[in-house]
Amino acid sequence: MKESTMTHSTRGRVRRVLAGGLATSTLAAAVLIAGAAPATAQSGLQDGPEPTIHTQQAYAPEDDFTAKWTRADARQLQRMSDPTAPSRENSMPASVTMPTVPQDFPDMSNEQVWVWDTWPLTDEDANQYSVNGWEIIFSLVADRNLGFDDRHVFAKIGYFYRPAGVPAAERPENGGWTYGGLVFKEGVTGQIFEDQSFSHQTQWSGSARVSKNGEIKLFFTDVAFYRNSDGTNIKPYDPRIALSVGKVKANKKGVTLTGFNKVTDLLQADGTYYQTGAQNEFFNFRDPFTFEDPAHPGETFMVFEGNSAMQRETATCNEADLGYRQGDPYAETVDDVNASGATYQIGNVGLAKAKNKQLTEWEFLPPILSANCVTDQTERPQIYFKDGKSYLFTISHRGTFAAGLDGPEGVYGFVGDGIRSDYQPLNGGSGLALGNPTNLNFLGGQPFAPDFNQHPGHFQAYSHYVMPGGLVQSFIDTIGTHDDFVRGGTLAPTVKMDIGVGGDPTKTAVDYSYGSEGLGGWADIPANKHLFTNGKFGVAVSDEAAQKIRKILGSKFDDYLDGKPVSATVRALIEKLLAQYGG
């Protein structure tokens, strides 16, 4: 199968060049060299409060303890920033800054669709799977006839596939993906809404679990909007965490999906732990990520983005939300914070537990993290286990931080001794694990209009997802300066984040030895497990075992997986190898 190496052409991208920008365009060109390391912030912290003391102590998942990402913690972000960093340079430490992505990026869909939030096919332990020799990912996609910023209310879930086991350096530049199309037929995901008068019905992010027989449980956010023609709400939008089940068929010709013709409504915000539309028409409730906890075998959990269940206009924050140490001279008062407008930002990370093995019934548990008066969005949360520790990763925008706080777009992380812990924010208490190159001395602007003084990588990547081995994938939003920028709509280069640097579980750092000065392959989402299935049986094997089986059996193995006749001798050899290597 020949795969395109078409780069992201001028026709397929959205480019903005302003008149009179020659001098600054020259500066932008200098900093947009692929893989160029961002400037390093000063080694010493700036004046400011000490972070909140967190113990990392674990609690039972059902307990009512909720960790807090406090204002004292989040103010470490500004303490880390170099106050002398000049216009268009990064002010944050290089160790937690994603390398600058070049403007001349290839398009993974060959200009078929806009692509943003993306997730792989996984098991309960977040291993990433290929199926019968094909890696498979799911992405939010939208028609390219739409404006890039209009995509959200028209988002659909699509899927891509590519041959497994090919090194990034040997793939086509755009990652080698083939767009397989949409997962759902028109109208399927709208059936769960009692009120069918929605103006838009869309699908947002989630996660996908594969079983040994090729069944896929697709957890996602099913959304109905009820809007007037001017974009105002007739009534609050209706997001629900939902499940649809289908199967994957993968053979020599490629990958097709079947099923996904029914949706099960799993969870709706309750107004007790998780804010509802009645409490705030702009509430967040989305992005389910399911997993099993080694400390609680046989039980399945889910984390998701929510907001603390308070009325928008009367919400308040307290001393614990601020988190200042006794006598800290840089502490704010509760009254001042509540009067600042910071109470509009009350994001949290929710937890739910499955009530049956089919994962069709769930119950809410209290949030595992609150960010009251810190940020309004804790998007796409995930739990990551390493060296006996539980890591909670989430993503947040610079523009969703509360009044008086500031920080880059990117990944924020927390570590504890269990999935419900007194989570300690990573890297000096700031929480920043991997941010875009950003200058906190200047405003950011918007992706469609970056601030003149901002670093060209300020909006370069978002919706990061942490993969096995600390690999991190994300999508390209905007790259460039106010006078010369390019909009994205495809996946960025994969980068590597070292977790637990120097044996310290609270530290992460970008691995600049990975790829080319820290930038790996474009849209590179490698499987670390390989599933061989013919729909009746299934065996998962490691990378090494998959290579051995393919080398020994060649095309006869494909025939066997496709249900074609093979000799008794070949069948016996295949079954012996699968039994030997299968896990």
CSV table of all heavy atoms in Angstrom, one decimal, residues 4 14 44 67 105 131 163 175 193 201 211 252 295 297 310 315 383 396 435 512 523:
chain,number,residue,atom,x,y,z
A,4,SER,N,0.8,8.4,1.2
A,4,SER,CA,1.2,9.8,0.7
A,4,SER,C,2.2,10.4,1.6
A,4,SER,O,2.2,10.2,2.8
A,4,SER,CB,0.0,10.7,0.6
A,4,SER,OG,0.3,12.0,0.4
A,14,VAL,N,-4.3,27.3,7.2
A,14,VAL,CA,-4.8,28.6,7.3
A,14,VAL,C,-3.6,29.5,7.7
A,14,VAL,O,-3.1,29.4,8.8
A,14,VAL,CB,-5.9,28.7,8.4
A,14,VAL,CG1,-6.5,30.1,8.5
A,14,VAL,CG2,-7.0,27.7,8.0
A,44,GLY,N,17.0,30.7,39.7
A,44,GLY,CA,16.4,31.0,40.9
A,44,GLY,C,14.9,31.3,40.8
A,44,GLY,O,14.5,31.9,39.7
A,67,ALA,N,-8.1,16.1,46.8
A,67,ALA,CA,-6.8,16.9,46.8
A,67,ALA,C,-7.1,18.2,46.2
A,67,ALA,O,-8.1,18.4,45.4
A,67,ALA,CB,-5.8,16.1,46.0
A,105,PHE,N,4.6,22.0,8.6
A,105,PHE,CA,4.3,20.7,9.1
A,105,PHE,C,3.5,19.9,8.1
A,105,PHE,O,2.7,20.5,7.3
A,105,PHE,CB,3.5,20.8,10.4
A,105,PHE,CG,2.4,21.8,10.4
A,105,PHE,CD1,1.1,21.4,10.0
A,105,PHE,CD2,2.5,23.1,10.9
A,105,PHE,CE1,0.1,22.3,10.0
A,105,PHE,CE2,1.5,24.0,10.9
A,105,PHE,CZ,0.2,23.6,10.4
A,131,VAL,N,-3.6,-4.1,16.0
A,131,VAL,CA,-4.5,-5.3,15.8
A,131,VAL,C,-4.1,-5.9,14.5
A,131,VAL,O,-4.2,-5.2,13.4
A,131,VAL,CB,-6.0,-4.9,15.8
A,131,VAL,CG1,-6.8,-6.1,15.6
A,131,VAL,CG2,-6.4,-4.3,17.2
A,163,PRO,N,0.5,0.7,9.4
A,163,PRO,CA,1.3,-0.5,9.7
A,163,PRO,C,2.0,-0.4,11.0
A,163,PRO,O,2.6,0.7,11.3
A,163,PRO,CB,2.2,-0.7,8.5
A,163,PRO,CG,1.6,0.1,7.4
A,163,PRO,CD,0.9,1.3,8.1
A,175,GLY,N,3.5,10.7,9.2
A,175,GLY,CA,3.2,9.7,10.1
A,175,GLY,C,2.7,8.4,9.5
A,175,GLY,O,2.7,7.3,10.2
A,193,PHE,N,-30.7,11.6,23.6
A,193,PHE,CA,-31.2,12.9,24.1
A,193,PHE,C,-32.7,12.9,24.1
A,193,PHE,O,-33.3,12.7,23.0
A,193,PHE,CB,-30.6,14.1,23.4
A,193,PHE,CG,-29.1,14.1,23.5
A,193,PHE,CD1,-28.3,13.7,22.5
A,193,PHE,CD2,-28.5,14.6,24.7
A,193,PHE,CE1,-26.9,13.7,22.6
A,193,PHE,CE2,-27.1,14.6,24.8
A,193,PHE,CZ,-26.4,14.2,23.7
A,201,GLN,N,-25.5,18.5,17.2
A,201,GLN,CA,-25.2,17.4,18.0
A,201,GLN,C,-23.9,16.8,17.7
A,201,GLN,O,-23.6,16.6,16.5
A,201,GLN,CB,-26.3,16.3,17.8
A,201,GLN,CG,-26.4,15.2,18.9
A,201,GLN,CD,-25.3,14.2,18.8
A,201,GLN,OE1,-25.2,13.5,17.8
A,201,GLN,NE2,-24.5,14.0,19.8
A,211,SER,N,-10.7,-5.6,23.7
A,211,SER,CA,-10.6,-6.9,24.3
A,211,SER,C,-9.9,-7.8,23.3
A,211,SER,O,-9.7,-7.6,22.2
A,211,SER,CB,-12.0,-7.4,24.7
A,211,SER,OG,-12.8,-7.5,23.5
A,252,LYS,N,-4.9,-7.8,5.7
A,252,LYS,CA,-3.9,-7.3,4.8
A,252,LYS,C,-4.4,-6.0,4.1
A,252,LYS,O,-3.6,-5.2,3.7
A,252,LYS,CB,-3.5,-8.4,3.7
A,252,LYS,CG,-2.7,-9.5,4.3
A,252,LYS,CD,-2.3,-10.5,3.3
A,252,LYS,CE,-3.5,-11.4,2.9
A,252,LYS,NZ,-3.1,-12.5,2.0
A,295,ALA,N,-4.0,-1.5,42.8
A,295,ALA,CA,-4.2,-1.6,44.2
A,295,ALA,C,-5.7,-2.1,44.4
A,295,ALA,O,-6.0,-2.5,45.6
A,295,ALA,CB,-4.1,-0.3,44.9
A,297,PRO,N,-7.6,-4.7,42.3
A,297,PRO,CA,-7.8,-5.6,41.2
A,297,PRO,C,-9.3,-6.0,41.0
A,297,PRO,O,-10.0,-6.2,41.9
A,297,PRO,CB,-6.9,-6.8,41.6
A,297,PRO,CG,-6.7,-6.8,43.0
A,297,PRO,CD,-6.7,-5.3,43.4
A,310,MET,N,-21.2,24.2,42.3
A,310,MET,CA,-21.6,25.4,42.9
A,310,MET,C,-22.3,26.3,41.9
A,310,MET,O,-22.1,26.1,40.7
A,310,MET,CB,-20.4,26.2,43.5
A,310,MET,CG,-19.7,25.5,44.6
A,310,MET,SD,-18.3,26.6,45.3
A,310,MET,CE,-17.0,26.1,44.3
A,315,ALA,N,-20.6,31.2,43.7
A,315,ALA,CA,-19.5,30.4,44.1
A,315,ALA,C,-18.5,31.1,44.9
A,315,ALA,O,-18.2,32.3,44.7
A,315,ALA,CB,-18.8,29.8,42.8
A,383,ILE,N,-4.9,8.7,34.3
A,383,ILE,CA,-4.1,8.2,35.4
A,383,ILE,C,-3.0,7.4,34.8
A,383,ILE,O,-3.2,6.6,33.9
A,383,ILE,CB,-4.9,7.3,36.4
A,383,ILE,CG1,-6.0,8.1,37.0
A,383,ILE,CG2,-4.0,6.6,37.4
A,383,ILE,CD1,-5.5,9.1,38.1
A,396,SER,N,-4.5,22.1,30.4
A,396,SER,CA,-5.2,23.3,30.7
A,396,SER,C,-4.7,24.4,29.8
A,396,SER,O,-3.5,24.4,29.4
A,396,SER,CB,-5.1,23.7,32.1
A,396,SER,OG,-6.2,24.6,32.5
A,435,GLY,N,4.9,22.3,29.0
A,435,GLY,CA,4.2,23.4,28.5
A,435,GLY,C,4.7,23.9,27.2
A,435,GLY,O,5.8,23.6,26.8
A,512,TYR,N,15.5,15.9,25.5
A,512,TYR,CA,16.0,16.5,24.3
A,512,TYR,C,16.8,15.6,23.4
A,512,TYR,O,17.2,15.9,22.3
A,512,TYR,CB,16.7,17.8,24.6
A,512,TYR,CG,15.8,19.0,24.9
A,512,TYR,CD1,15.5,19.2,26.2
A,512,TYR,CD2,15.3,19.7,23.9
A,512,TYR,CE1,14.6,20.3,26.6
A,512,TYR,CE2,14.4,20.8,24.2
A,512,TYR,CZ,14.1,21.0,25.5
A,512,TYR,OH,13.2,22.1,25.8
A,523,ALA,N,2.9,12.9,14.3
A,523,ALA,CA,1.8,12.0,14.6
A,523,ALA,C,2.2,10.6,14.9
A,523,ALA,O,1.6,9.7,14.4
A,523,ALA,CB,0.8,12.1,13.3
